Amino acid sequence: MNSPKSEERENTELNLDSSSSTLPERSSSPSSGLMQAASVTDGMAAAALRSVLQRVNQAAQRSGRSSDRIRVVAVSKTKPVPLLRQVYETGHRCFGENYVQELVEKAPQLPEDIEWRFIGNLQSNKVKPLLSGVPNLAAVETVDDEKIANHLNRAVGNIGRKPLKVMVQVNTSGEESKYGVEPAGCVKLAKHVSMNCPNLEFCGLMTIGMPDYTSTPENFKTLANCRSEVCKALGIAEEQCELSMGMSGDFELAIEMGSTNVRIGSTIFGAREYPKKQSN
């Protein structure tokens, strides 16, 4: 029997971040509000990125690791292309998006050497548009059941591109509003990807922690425990299984607790600005 979330995935695109926000429909042209935001923040995003990288380096040192082993994903959800280009021009190449439509619109407007990572909830009917529209898609971090893994595997094979890196998303907080496989099911799903999806490359685990800072460490500990179980089941070293955990509010703590992949949006780009819904 399909869960309510599985049924919802078939019918509507719902993507979550730590605030569980949804993106209203947009016209194809940028709104004047977003363009104004890009102008106001001219130069600020690049400076913010440099500050983030410095903080990442310091957190890495505290954890006894090298900062070059930690990937910073600049999450550009709702942000206009000129602002992304500003960050790109600092030398940064790794960007993340939550919405298929938005990523498919942005990717062709930016250089092909960007490594795009999809970090939102992905529905079956969005798999083909995502893969065909973004040839330089580096990874999907949000595989949370066998069905979406199978869809990705078939689509990658049909397109004929190189194997796609994927992460298994784990719901470490137990919140109904969060997507992700339960911790007890992460080994089974990781095994399925590794053994039954030849066009996918399992590369790690991902979680969205609770927004309450005091609860976040438990979420991170849970994901680290999941990694130990997955690596034992797959017979791989823990260094071969990445941990994608930590966002703007807690990425330093996440790094100290073993994260290899932090997803940072508002600290780099500023607060998200969603277009207002038009009244009927």
Side-chain angles (χ1 to χ4, degrees):
M1 178 182 298
N2 290 338
S3 67
K5 286 180 180 175
S6 296
E7 293 175 357
E8 182 180 11
R9 170 182 279 143
E10 292 298 313
N11 298 319
T12 181
E13 182 175 6
L14 176 62
N15 294 288
L16 303 179
D17 64 3
S18 59
S19 61
S20 300
S21 299
T22 58
L23 181 68
E25 293 182 359
R26 304 179 306 282
S27 63
S28 57
S29 60
S31 69
S32 58
L34 290 179
M35 293 178 68
Q36 183 179 12
S39 176
V40 170
T41 57
D42 185 33
M44 294 178 62
L49 174 65
R50 286 190 287 270
S51 175
V52 163
L53 294 177
Q54 183 178 25
R55 291 166 64 186
V56 166
N57 183 57
Q58 293 169 346
Q61 290 179 354
R62 290 193 294 271
S63 67
R65 291 186 292 155
S66 172
S67 60
D68 61 10
R69 303 295 300 273
I70 299 164
R71 180 187 302 106
V72 174
V73 183
V75 180
S76 46
K77 180 172 69 172
T78 79
K79 296 302 178 179
V81 168
L83 203 55
L84 277 70
R85 190 176 294 278
Q86 178 191 135
V87 171
Y88 173 90
E89 289 173 353
T90 69
H92 197 73
R93 294 294 180 268
C94 186
F95 291 79
E97 286 285 344
N98 292 65
Y99 305 109
V100 171
Q101 177 186 348
E102 189 170 359
L103 177 50
V104 169
E105 290 174 356
K106 287 178 178 177
Q109 303 179 59
L110 289 159
E112 295 179 357
D113 62 339
I114 285 180
E115 298 178 3
W116 290 105
R117 300 180 75 87
F118 187 75
I119 59 173
N121 173 247
L122 181 60
Q123 296 152 47
S124 301
N125 64 342
K126 298 293 183 179
V127 167
K128 185 176 179 181
L130 174 64
L131 292 174
S132 59
V134 190
N136 50 332
L137 183 69
V140 170
E141 295 195 14
T142 47
V143 171
D144 60 359
D145 62 26
E146 293 184 6
K147 181 178 179 181
I148 198 65
N150 293 339
H151 275 281
L152 279 167
N153 182 62
R154 284 194 297 270
V156 171
N158 291 337
I159 291 175
R161 59 157 283 166
K162 66 181 182 180
L164 176 68
K165 291 183 178 181
V166 299
M167 290 183 166
V168 167
Q169 182 177 0
V170 184
N171 185 345
T172 56
S173 65
E175 296 171 279
E176 287 293 325
S177 61
K178 298 284 197 313
Y179 286 92
V181 65
E182 295 297 318
C186 69
V187 169
K188 180 182 178 184
L189 182 52
K191 276 187 172 181
H192 177 79
V193 171
S194 298
M195 299 177 182
N196 301 318
C197 300
N199 298 313
L200 304 181
E201 178 185 343
F202 170 75
C203 66
L205 305 174
M206 176 266 207
T207 196
I208 300 174
M210 295 177 70
D212 177 7
Y213 185 84
T214 60
S215 301
T216 300
E218 294 304 317
N219 300 157
F220 294 166
K221 288 177 184 176
T222 297
L223 196 68
N225 291 337
C226 287
R227 175 171 67 175
S228 297
E229 295 173 3
V230 166
C231 291
K232 182 178 180 180
L234 297 181
I236 61 175
E238 291 197 358
E239 292 74 21
Q240 294 178 263
C241 182
E242 294 191 49
L243 292 182
S244 176
M245 58 187 194
M247 297 185 287
S248 286
D250 54 14
F251 69 90
E252 289 157 302
L253 175 63
I255 291 170
E256 292 176 25
M257 298 184 70
S259 179
T260 62
N261 190 85
V262 290
R263 311 177 306 271
I264 304 176
S266 58
T267 300
I268 296 174
F269 294 106
R272 298 186 179 105
E273 298 184 16
Y274 296 96
K276 295 181 179 179
K277 292 183 178 180
Q278 299 295 322
S279 58
N280 293 330

